[in-house]
Amino acid sequence: MSFGPPPSPYTHSVLTQNDQQKKRRRNRLLGLLAVVLVAAVGTAGLLAARSDDKKKPTADNAPAAGGGRLDVRETVERKPATTTGDMAFRFSIDDAKPGEHTEMPGTWATDKILAKGINQTLAGFRTGTDAVPGDEVWKLRLAGPICGYTRRVTGENRTAVVFRDSKDKASLCNHVAFFDLDDGKQIWEHEFPVSTIGDEQDTAPTDGAVQDTPSVTLTHATVAVTWGGGTDAYDMDSGERTWRTTESGSCQDMGAAGGRALLVRLECWDDGQPSASWQTITYKVRKVDPGTGKEKWTYAGTKGLRDLELPSSDPPVVAVSAGETGFTELLSLDDRGTVRATIGLTSGSYVGDCSDQVDYLVVDDCQTIAVGLGQVFVRSKEAGAPHNSNWIIGFDLATGKTTEKFESGPDSLLYPLRVSGSRLLALRMSDDHISPSALVSLDPKTGKETPYLYFGVPQDADTLTTLDENDIVVQDGRLFFAAHAADGPGSGKAWTWLVLGIGSSTTEQ
């Protein structure tokens, strides 16, 4: 599989043959989706091929009130004119070699583009297509592989990644690029310092030492990069570095959460010596002014934590792990960094998930912990056979008490995704593979569930719906499932699904 420079020009006959193959693949996909949905809802022709004269959607997908072009995007999704699901996009390959592995960090969407990180390339595809490598509407080739990304996107559809300074996977991860998702234009890029574990100086690793893993995030008008020895902040428009903080002593900046505010996670060692053991590490969370880097408050975690992640920067919510596996508590902080409420997850009833990708530091990538409306929403564990089920529960951030509970019902599972306006977006995934899955809206005030999109997933694409191994993106009336990596088949040749997009059958692609 190649994602390098554009291939040589094809002859007309080859282009025609490729077009016919794509049409056959698209028809096969639509047929598979149709079989799933028709069997479930008894309606023929739900996933027919899209025509050019579809009506525009009635959904109003404007950014949230008060959101500007330099703010982090908070799109409010609305119920589409029809809840019938249709293929909005597919990206797949059939030339991966057995045992081949390609990293695919980062998935972003706009009203027209699905963008994907692919090794050292950023690629944009037009939605409404059945795409393969070579069908990109834009490609941005970086100097080296992507080594960090953020799920955050600005109001004008821009985001950032960090990447290595050469094709060598062992080269330094020390560059940040800010780029436009609509046209692939790189707005600016900069080199930032690196540090070794336990070294607060901005020096490169030597003698085989390991570089601290950098992270990148976005907040108002600011791109922030943590690099171990400190944090650098850049102006979104000019790319000018606006401030830098450097650590001293035994603490390091290891990850940042963006959005409406900027939180920096620090890892510290009580004895002043770096160690890979969680028993010697303590965590702090620092809120800083994104315009100046000035500290507003610091929260110090208790000793004995194995992990600390940041599902939300505003309101600030901290997920901590004091056990061997999984998060044991969610902590709601106030405007001084003190704990407002503690939400215990140790009973085993509730599950809090954050990204556990080893190679990328994204401390605010908690896809099934949704925060907003004065609450945090998590899912319960699965009930298991004979009719699997679970529920989503809300907790009040001020008191820690439970609020509304949303039941999945038998043979389906509910996963919270994100707050959208005054409602919670969630996935209702079919567990019996007969009834359709759905993107739904949950109203915390009334307990009402509103379906947005009913859809089916072909069996050979089912792995894309595993939430801890894939990106789930809801944007402008479309739902995307995207792989973190592409792996070749065990042997021979096979189609590999990388991205599947679902949209309303009335949505203009």
Side-chain angles (χ1 to χ4, degrees), residues 261-337:
L262 180 61
L263 302 182
V264 176
R265 184 184 73 168
L266 288 81
E267 291 185 3
C268 305
W269 295 270
D270 288 341
D271 57 4
Q273 297 296 321
S275 171
S277 172
W278 62 269
Q279 294 172 321
T280 64
I281 297 175
T282 58
Y283 292 94
K284 295 180 181 179
V285 178
R286 179 179 295 160
K287 182 175 182 178
V288 299
D289 186 316
T292 65
K294 182 179 179 181
E295 178 183 326
K296 293 189 172 183
W297 50 254
T298 297
Y299 162 78
T302 58
K303 292 183 179 181
L305 296 181
R306 291 175 180 265
D307 192 16
L308 181 151
E309 305 287 337
L310 302 170
S312 174
S313 65
D314 184 15
V317 174
V318 177
V320 298
S321 175
E324 293 186 1
T325 59
F327 292 110
T328 53
E329 292 177 332
L330 298 177
L331 308 176
S332 168
L333 307 183
D334 64 17
D335 57 6
R336 295 172 294 178

Side-chain angles (χ1 to χ4, degrees), residues 191-215:
E191 182 177 348
F192 56 85
V194 297
S195 70
T196 57
I197 290 179
D199 181 3
E200 71 274 10
Q201 304 299 317
D202 55 343
T203 56
T206 58
D207 300 326
V210 179
Q211 176 189 350
D212 284 317
T213 305
S215 79

